[in-house]
Every structure is written in structure tokens, then in C-alpha cells.
Amino acid sequence: MVSLDSKTKQTTTKQQSSPVEEVLGLEDQFVNRHVDPTSEEIDQMLKALGFSSLDALIDETVPSSIRLQKELDLPKQKSEYEALKQLRAIASDNQVFRSFIGMGYYDCITPAAIQRNILENPGWYTAYTPYQPEIAQGRLEALLNFQTMISDLTGLEIANSSLLDEATAAAEAMSMSVGVSKSKATAFFVSEECHPQTIEVLQTRAQPLGLEVIVGNHREFDFSTPIFGALLQYPTTEGKICDYREFVEKAHEQKALVTVAADPLSLALLTPPGEWGADIAVGSTQRFGVPLGYGGPHAAYFATKEKYKRQLPGRLVGVSKDTQGKPALRLALQTREQHIRRDRATSNICTAQVLLAVIASMYGVYHGPGGIKRIAEKVHRLTVTLAEGLKRIGYTIASEPYFDTLKIETNNAPQTQQAILQAAEEQQINLRSYADGALGVSLDEATTVEEVKILLQLFAGTETLPFSLEELVPELTFEFPETFNRTSSYLTEAVFNRYHSETKLVRYLNHLQSKDLSLTTSMIPLGSCTMKLNAAAEMYPVTWAEFGKIHPFAPKSQTKGYQTLFEQLETWLSEITGFADISLQPNAGAQGEYTGLLVIRQYHQTRGEGHRNICLIPESAHGTNPASAVMCGMKVVPIQCNERGDIDLDDLRTKAEKHSENLAALMVTYPSTHGVFETEIQTICETVHQHGGQVYLDGANMNAQLGLCRPGDYGADVCHLNLHKTFCIPHGGGGPGMGPIGVQDHLKPFLPRHPVIETGGEQAIGAVAAAPWGSPSILPISWMFIAMMGAKGLTHASKVAILNANYMAHRLDEHYPVLYKGNADLVAHECIIDLRLVKKSANIGVDDIAKRLMDFGFHAPTVSWPVAGTMMIEPTESESKEELDRFCDAMIAIRKEISAIEMGEVDPENNVLKNAPHTHEMVIGDDWQRPYSREKAAYPSDWLRDYKFWPSVGRIDNAFGDRNLVCSCVGMEAYTE
Ligand SMILES: *Cc1c(COP(=O)(O)O)cnc(C)c1O
């Protein structure tokens, strides 16, 4: 116990520790491995700030009116070993059945080389979203591979670098269609043969936008109701492969866009949607090596035609060039996105599913076109074997032609649905059961011949099979009808044909990883993104089979372990936030915003106040806030901030008054996005309540509040948590995330339901994600964090996060003024430094400083948000004083370099800042022509001699890439030639 401050130490001794354990020296505290600064370092930092204790600092920082007056009621903290043991016991209550349920989720084989080198590798999973592309070329290349693979498989020109899940991707397709269709129609046709969760997520999304969803049979739909778009499933949820050409033609005559939800594995054999006229293809790449995980996380894909590139939702990786003319990757067309376009953005997608997209893309790289085709053929051939066997036993297949999924009639069949299901359960097998008495079976990559025999036996009942597979198989044909046969090639690019041995693959993965700066290199002080430690013990359970190999629609009786995990995590998060209940369904922060606002909307509607549609949002808000409000059919009214950066109370009162009749909600971030604990937060909440509005709290800044204050106590009605920020789920290079929401009692009835598995409130809003609990397989991470920290540990973490931020603000203030401060000139857990002065004095912009930081081995803080021309620094509690000092020293050294420009000592254009970052190649090259030394370029600090991280490309030309948009590796290779 080194790092708990003395006051906490005393209470620990008195109240919690068992004296025997302490006497024997058995106390083992994870908190000291998560919170880096030791008590000596804490004292040194406090001294620098002029405080005598950590509590004295916190008392001055967090307004006393909102301070939590008790300790959080959480189980006593456990060591890594104890917590893992307890979670093991919980996990063992899950029964891992063999699931043939399908419906968009299939068992698959994660190649061990990919599991170990990506999924379980902090070099990959602790990276940040690639906003600083010069130090993110590795994951950008992996994502470009993903886009190329999707483009190839779907036969469409352009694909994004992942969305959250298939259902939300379909909803994004609907939104895009209404935006780009030249039709004035307000109806969207959805085939009833789509997955049920997709249909419901679409309906949820359509309702607040005033769009009508027509669910029907595509064969019978006569287009008499005009539509702006349609969604079809290929193959259908029941397994049938349909010829949609005629439907597509008719839709196009009406200027409607056709979206096709397609299984990417099937596209290795079937004519891709792009070749028969689809405008958009969406789907899930789960079965490309990503474990089922009881529903997620998995990467969804979204592909469309080139002409819609500016309307494409989500992130898009594109090729550009660096200062040396070398091809280089970066996120393209960012001006479509919420952080710039706010309420006019193409979508609210911020965190997506980068790590999972990387895994899926590497599955493609590892297997190559031949391997992917073999896997698809294997799955199909086994399915044919099963289907023909079933026919011989006397069953009718209702889903022909099929790829991997059969709908099997049980009327007048040898066995009843009930009898088969019961026999299946005894064999620990899950099948899909239809209300009409039929059964569904979906085979997958992991299916064996033995399993096909077992399945046949289940349907045969007690009878021995009247044939053997050895007799049956030679008689089978595996061809698809002509129209469905894929003739075009795919994955022809070099990258998919080069790394098929494990040696080559591992070297390729390591090569990419070495280009990326992650938390394994140095601190990533990203304001608002809380890049803290993702402890190995937290990550460990993610790949346990008891969590990984469970189908999201397995009966609840098999998922008792998961139910316990959810209950405990919900109870703990409720206690931490002060809310009555939690929904774990939203699978990113922005999804939480959307869900929370829908809950508010439903609340108003049930009270007969459905007209309330005004959403007040401070100007400083994160771009996802206005984008989410618009998705809920709300009108955004901005609230000004005053010169201190706080919400302008007068403006708030005026606008609340003005829109009193129609006020739906206020969205507010606390502590503010300016990094300040506003003292008026309760008044702000009360003002909104007085006018009948609800308070939505953006909880991205929860890391400043653990055990110190609770949104539920100071006036919020609903709040999302970014588990991938405060609660240790790693950032994954831009996802996965989880954005559960907490609500007050009066909003509990409206928490989202799910069409397949029972969950949610009594007057629930429809599903907002494909899976009932979002991305369950990463919830063990947050469970482990809370279990190991306990109440005292969490509180200590927030206190040290605040201390670390104030220490950095204090050290940097005289070099770069801290823009906003709260009470006693203190900041919360992050601070904004103002760089606009050096823009004026030396024409040095934030980007120049961000790129120069790379030469020092650092990732830049958040750049130009929430205020243009500034940087927002958030160190978190997991960084040591030594690391904070190193970063501050780098920033101060850069300030000196700027001073040299100000003094006219160096060229204002040709200098270390404007030319940053400096690559190895530039510095080693023979033609060094710069007015400063190579040493100054690459080794501006002494510590770099011991460990130097080299940016792999020079500064990237963003505008060039946007003008010459290339989003697949075909383009990349053309550049290299
Ligand atoms: C990160 C963040 C969000 C969005 O969360 P995602 O998980 O990326 O969707 C919203 N608001 C704030 C203040 C954030 O920092």
C-alpha cells in the first residue's frame, strides 16, 4: 500500500482490511498497479500546486454542494488473482452449447496467430483512433485491407472501415438512403425475411424521423406506396438465396436505393449484390474470425457506390502522400463527420469497431481468396449433405436454394419440433425454432462431419439413419443455380496473397504494429478520451470460451454466468452514478446518447407531451451530441458559453423560457468539455426541469467523478458511460466500445427491449443494437476493473486523475496559457492549453506542435477540440509523475523552438516544427539540406537516445488525399509503383 494518501490509509486500516491479513502481509492491492504515482510523487505534485493533501485539492476542485458524502457501496477490492478466480466461477455458470442458430451469428475459428498477435496484444488493442496518421500507419493499413476486402466481396466501389453491428449498419443505410434518394417518399421497405433484430433496430430508428417502415414480402410488394429505399437480406434470415434483380429494377425506377444485408462468407460463392444492382451492402464480419461473444463486439461493414462517398457514414481510410511523396494513409473526408458537421453530420458514429475490423481483415489476409473460398465451400457442402440427408429421412427444406442455413419443416415429419429441440438440448446443441413449427440450422466454419451426423440423428429420432454419409455424399451436387454463381474474382490484391504461412503473417502483423504508437510506447494524453491502463488481468477473460463461444440468442438458461455478470456490473454502475437502473444495450457512447434521448422522448410521449422536441446543447458539446439529437427527431438549440467556458446561465434561462412549451432535453457534459467542474450544475439541471425538460448527461468525463460526485445526485435524468474510457475497455485503435446508460426511476420503464431475448422496461423503446446486451464479451474488462479497485481504489483513481491534470496544467501554464479554470484556478481531470498565441507570434499551428511531439515520441493530445487552436490534455491516473514530466518537458522544449522563430533566429518556414515529423529515412538520407542538424530533428531530448519511436511517414497531405480519393489497396499499390 504505497500510493493511498495518508487519510485514506487510516480509514482503510480501521474499516476494511482484515487485521490478520495485514499482519501477515497478505494485502495485495491492484490499485497500486493501476494508479501509477506513488505517495511520494503525489506529495511532490501536491507541493508544486501548494496543497497539503490530496483531499484538500479535491475539496477545492469539486464543488462541495455536489460532493458525495459517503463511500461508494461496492464489494471490497480484490487482487488480480482473486478477481480472476471469482470471475472464473461466474463464467463457469455459462453453458457453452454448440449453436446452429444463425441469424447473423456463427461460430468460427479465430486463427491462433491472430488471437495471440492482435486480440491479446496491447500493441494493437491499446492504440487510439488514428487521428495522428503519421504514427498510425499500421492499423490504417489493416483498415484499408478491410475496406478492400469488403469492396471485393460485395462488388461495390467503396467501403468504410467498420460500423457497430449489422442492424445499426442497416439503419445507417436507411438514413443515407433518405438523404441521397431523389424520391420524395417517406417510406422504407424492409423484407420480412431480414433478421428480426435488424427489422426492429430499423423501426426504432425510423420512428422519431417520421419515416414509415413497411415490412413485407418482396415478391408481393407492388410499389404502390412510394419508397425512398429498401432493405433485403441475402441469403435471407431463413437461409434462402433470392434473385432480387426484378425488385431492384422496380425500386430504381422509383429512384429508391436498395440496401442488401449480405453474409460476407456467402459472397465468396454467390453473385455479389454490387453485380446485381444493389446501391448499398451492409453486414457483419463476425464470422471472419471474431468470437461470438454473446453478441459482440464484431465489426459491421458498409459498402456503397463511389458517387455516395460523401454521404457514407462512419470512418473511411484513404490513401494520400507525405511530404516526401510517399504513399501514406489517413482518415478521409472527415468533413462529413459529426465532430465537424455536428447536427448536419452523416451519422453520429464516433467509436466504431476497429480492433474487430483489423481481426476480420487479417482473417482475409491469412486465408487469402483460396482459403476463404474453401471455407465457404466447406460450409456449403456440409449444408448440402445435411439437407439431402434430412430429405431422405422425410423432412422438407423450406429454404432452397441455400448457402449454409436450412429452414426445416416439421409438419408431418418423423419428429416433432419439441422432440427434436429436446434431443438437441440433451446433446448441448442449440437450433433456431420458428413459431410455425419449423426448425432452423446454420452451419459454420467450425462444423465437422461428425456434427452433421449428430444433427441428422437428432432429426431421425431414435431410428438409426437409413443411409450412411459415405453412401450419401458421392451422390450430391453442390452447384448453385446459374444466376447465383459468383464468376468474378476477389481478394486478388497482393496483400491477400502474400502472408499465408504463419511466419510471414506474424512478421506482417509485427511490421504494422511497429508503425503504431500505442500505450505500450508512451502516454496518449487525449482529452475526453481517457486513455488509461488496460490491465492484462482485465483483458484476460475476454478470450475465455465461457464468454467467447456463446451465441447471443442462446436461451437465458445457458447464460446464467453472463446474467450474473450483467446484474453485478449494473448494480455497481448504478451505485457509481447514482442512478436507479442501467441498460447495457448501447454499444458506443454516441449510441448511449441516442438511446438516452429516445428514452426521454418516450417519457414525454407517455405523458401526452410528445410535442416536446427541442434539445438544448451547449456550443462546447461533443459533435455526437447534436448528431444524436437529430437522429431522435429533435431540433438542436445551441446554448452559449461565457468567457470562462461555462454554460452561460442567462442564455440557458432565456432559451429554456423561450422553448418552455416544447423543451425536451438539455444535453450537458460534466465536468464540462472545457475540463472544469462548473459550480452551477445543479442550477442548470433545475432550470431545465422547471420547464418540463429532462437532463441528458454526457458521461464521457466520468473519470473525474468516481466516488466524488454522482450524476444521478446532482440532477441528471439519464447519462451514458463510455466503458472504453473510464472503465478500462481498451480503445482498440477506434473501437470496440460500450456506452451503457443509467436512468432515474421515472425513466426505467423505457429502457430498450430486444425482439429475440427478453430484456428492457415495461414500456420499452425498441432495440437500438443488434444484440440484447450490446457487446457483452468486453464487459468482463469493466467488471474486473471495479472488482479490483473497490470503492476506495476508484475514488483514489479519480483523485489522482485530477491531481495529474492539475500538475500538468500548472507546469505548462507559463508556457502555454491554460484556457479555462474553475474554482481556485483548478481544472478537473483534463485541461485545455491555448496555442493561438504562437499562431500569431510565430505562425505555428496546433498541427505543427502535434507533429513535432511525434519526434519526441509522444502522441498529441486532443487537437482543436472543443476550441479551435488549442490542445486538450488528459493524463489519467495511470501515468507516472515521471511520464507527465517527460511530456511537459517536451512541450516546454517545443515552446523554446517556437521562441527561436519568434526571435527571428530560425527560418519561419523551414524549421523543426514545420518539417515535423522527421522519419528515419529523412534523417539518415544523404541529401540532408535542412538549416538544423539531424540530431536536433530526431533526438531533441536525451531520453530518446535510450528509446526512440520513429514515425513511419512524413507529414501527410490531407487535402491531396481528399481531392484524389482512393480507399482500397489497389490504389495503394498503384502509388508504390
Ligand atoms: C467520446 C465521447 C463521446 C462519444 O463516445 P463514443 O463512444 O466515441 O461514441 C461523446 N461525448 C464526449 C464528451 C466524448 O468524449
Side-chain angles (χ1 to χ4, degrees), residues 112-123:
I114 292 178
Q115 174 167 333
R116 179 158 285 195
N117 291 290
I118 299 176
L119 184 53
E120 298 174 342
N121 179 351

Side-chain angles (χ1 to χ4, degrees), residues 369-544:
I372 297 289
K373 187 166 182 199
R374 259 193 313 280
I375 293 166
E377 278 172 350
K378 168 193 154 170
V379 173
H380 179 60
R381 288 173 183 181
L382 287 171
T383 311
V384 173
T385 309
L386 176 64
E388 292 304 314
L390 286 170
K391 284 184 196 167
R392 289 204 184 184
I393 305 170
Y395 287 90
T396 311
I397 306 298
S399 57
E400 292 184 296
Y402 51 78
F403 164 61
D404 67 349
T405 296
L406 304 175
K407 183 176 184 186
I408 304 146
E409 307 281 11
T410 54
N411 300 333
N412 308 317
Q415 297 288 319
T416 64
Q417 188 195 42
Q418 261 324 306
I420 299 166
L421 284 174
Q422 200 177 333
E425 197 185 336
E426 279 161 23
Q427 300 266 7
Q428 301 222 319
I429 285 175
N430 289 323
L431 305 175
R432 180 174 183 182
S433 82
Y434 288 94
D436 66 3
L439 286 166
V441 181
S442 291
L443 301 191
D444 55 56
E445 183 190 4
T447 309
T448 59
V449 171
E450 197 49 44
E451 284 177 334
V452 171
K453 281 188 196 158
I454 293 171
L455 286 168
L456 284 169
Q457 196 63 61
L458 286 180
F459 282 85
T462 49
E463 312 255 320
T464 43
L465 293 180
F467 55 87
S468 76
L469 290 193
E470 287 69 19
E471 290 159 23
L472 176 68
V473 169
E475 296 170 20
L476 304 177
T477 58
F478 305 109
E479 297 301 305
F480 294 100
E482 183 75 26
T483 42
F484 300 121
N485 237 336
R486 179 166 191 148
T487 51
S488 52
S489 55
Y490 48 86
L491 307 187
T492 53
E493 300 78 9
V495 70
F496 298 108
N497 295 282
R498 232 179 229 163
Y499 308 111
H500 297 168
S501 75
E502 184 162 331
T503 304
K504 286 200 184 108
L505 180 80
V506 170
R507 285 181 193 157
Y508 179 54
L509 292 177
N510 188 54
H511 171 64
L512 294 187
Q513 185 196 323
S514 70
K515 297 181 182 190
D516 286 13
L517 189 147
S518 71
L519 285 177
T520 62
T521 308
S522 56
M523 77 187 291
I524 302 181
L526 258 140
S528 212
C529 286
T530 316
M531 298 291 290
K532 57 164 70 174
L533 170 77
N534 315 115
E538 292 156 2
M539 294 301 293
Y540 230 65
V542 171
T543 42
W544 291 350

Side-chain angles (χ1 to χ4, degrees), residues 128-129 131 164 315 338 348-352 526-530 587-593 620-625 628 669-673 696 698-701 720-725 731 734 736-739 830 865 872 874:
Y128 181 60
T129 307
Y131 286 140
L164 296 168
R315 300 243 156 85
Q338 24 71 25
N348 74 339
I349 299 291
C350 183
T351 292
L526 258 140
S528 212
C529 286
T530 316
N587 46 12
Q591 288 294 103
E593 296 169 16
S620 59
H622 196 267
T624 53
N625 290 187
S628 301
T669 307
Y670 200 75
S672 75
T673 52
Y696 183 91
D698 181 328
N701 290 343
H720 80 257
L721 298 170
N722 302 68
L723 297 188
H724 48 300
K725 295 178 181 174
H731 223 76
M738 270 293 278
E830 57 192 1
W865 186 81
M872 179 154 64
E874 178 180 358

Side-chain angles (χ1 to χ4, degrees), residues 10-26:
Q10 282 166 10
T11 44
T12 311
T13 322
K14 251 191 271 158
Q15 292 175 355
Q16 285 220 336
S17 309
S18 137
V20 178
E21 284 172 352
E22 195 163 285
V23 172
L24 296 175
L26 301 181

Side-chain angles (χ1 to χ4, degrees), residues 38-89:
T38 60
S39 53
E40 291 77 36
E41 288 173 329
I42 287 173
D43 286 343
Q44 287 163 14
M45 289 192 277
L46 285 168
K47 209 164 148 206
L49 291 168
F51 284 92
S52 58
S53 74
L54 196 49
D55 283 325
L57 170 75
I58 300 303
D59 288 345
E60 287 288 302
T61 313
V62 186
S64 57
S65 56
I66 62 166
R67 271 297 284 278
L68 183 63
Q69 295 303 332
K70 57 156 200 165
E71 186 174 290
L72 292 173
D73 183 13
L74 295 171
K76 185 177 189 290
Q77 75 282 353
K78 294 173 188 60
S79 69
E80 287 98 319
Y81 178 74
E82 288 168 334
L84 279 170
K85 210 162 92 178
Q86 191 181 355
L87 191 56
R88 252 302 174 207

Side-chain angles (χ1 to χ4, degrees), residues 648-773:
D648 183 333
L649 266 181
D650 289 336
D651 194 44
L652 175 72
R653 289 202 181 98
T654 313
K655 303 262 169 74
E657 189 89 51
K658 181 173 168 205
H659 299 286
S660 193
E661 283 282 288
N662 296 317
L663 186 61
L666 164 80
M667 290 185 93
V668 57
T669 307
Y670 200 75
S672 75
T673 52
H674 290 152
V676 172
F677 278 101
E678 287 166 271
T679 47
E680 299 291 345
I681 185 67
Q682 285 157 304
T683 317
I684 290 168
C685 296
E686 280 160 20
T687 307
V688 172
H689 286 147
Q690 276 160 17
H691 293 280
Q694 293 279 292
V695 176
Y696 183 91
L697 197 112
D698 181 328
N701 290 343
M702 197 65 210
N703 210 44
Q705 305 181 72
L706 302 172
L708 301 177
C709 58
R710 308 192 301 178
D713 294 344
Y714 55 73
D717 298 292
V718 49
C719 160
H720 80 257
L721 298 170
N722 302 68
L723 297 188
H724 48 300
K725 295 178 181 174
T726 315
F727 296 93
C728 295
I729 292 175
H731 223 76
M738 270 293 278
I741 55 169
V743 293
Q744 299 283 11
D745 236 345
H746 66 281
L747 296 178
K748 261 173 83 164
F750 312 116
L751 289 177
R753 48 164 255 135
H754 191 274
V756 185
I757 300 289
E758 199 188 323
T759 184
E762 292 120 47
Q763 294 164 276
I765 59 165
V768 295
W773 292 278

